[in-house]
Amino acid sequence: MQRTLSLVLSLITVAFLFTATGAQAGTVYRATLAEATDERVHVIRNAPWVCDGAECATDRARSRPANVCHALVRELGTVVSFSIDSEAMAEEDLARCNEAAG
C-alpha cells in the first residue's frame, strides 16, 4: 500500500513537469534516449524522470548538468540529446557524458 501511495504521489508530482513553465518549475532537464524506455517514471538520484518513449524530462534534479547527464546514462543508456532549460548541451559535453557513464 505504501509503495502504491508513493508511486501515485510521484506521478502527481511529475505530472506538473510537462505543464509548468520554466519560471514555475526551476531548472528543467530534457533528454532524448537512443532507445525508448517502457516505463513512464524513473527515479534517478532522487529525481523523478517522466518518459514518453525516448523523450524524458525532470525538474527535480539538483546537481550540475554533467552529473545529471551521467546518472541518466548510467540508468537508461545512451543519450542522443540533453538540454537544460531548453539550451542544448554542447556536442562534446554530451559525448563525454555518454563515454564517462559507460
Side-chain angles (χ1 to χ4, degrees):
M1 177 70 177
Q2 186 175 2
R3 181 181 166 121
T4 302
L5 179 59
S6 178
L7 178 60
V8 169
L9 291 175
S10 292
L11 290 172
I12 290 170
T13 301
V14 296
F16 294 105
L17 177 65
F18 291 111
T19 59
T21 65
Q24 294 170 325
T27 302
V28 176
Y29 296 93
R30 295 189 186 278
T32 302
L33 306 173
E35 295 184 26
T37 178
D38 293 334
E39 293 182 40
R40 178 133 172 92
V41 178
H42 300 269
V43 179
I44 301 171
R45 295 184 72 186
N46 298 318
W49 283 80
V50 177
C51 298
D52 183 11
E55 302 297 321
C56 300
T58 189
D59 67 349
R60 303 287 181 221
R62 301 291 179 238
S63 190
R64 292 183 317 119
N67 292 341
V68 174
C69 183
H70 290 147
L72 185 64
V73 170
R74 278 193 302 275
E75 294 291 325
L76 300 179
T78 303
V79 172
V80 295
S81 71
F82 189 84
S83 66
I84 306 96
D85 289 335
S86 300
E87 185 174 328
M89 178 179 268
E91 289 294 321
E92 57 274 5
D93 293 335
L94 183 59
R96 275 194 297 270
C97 171
N98 282 306
E99 290 171 6

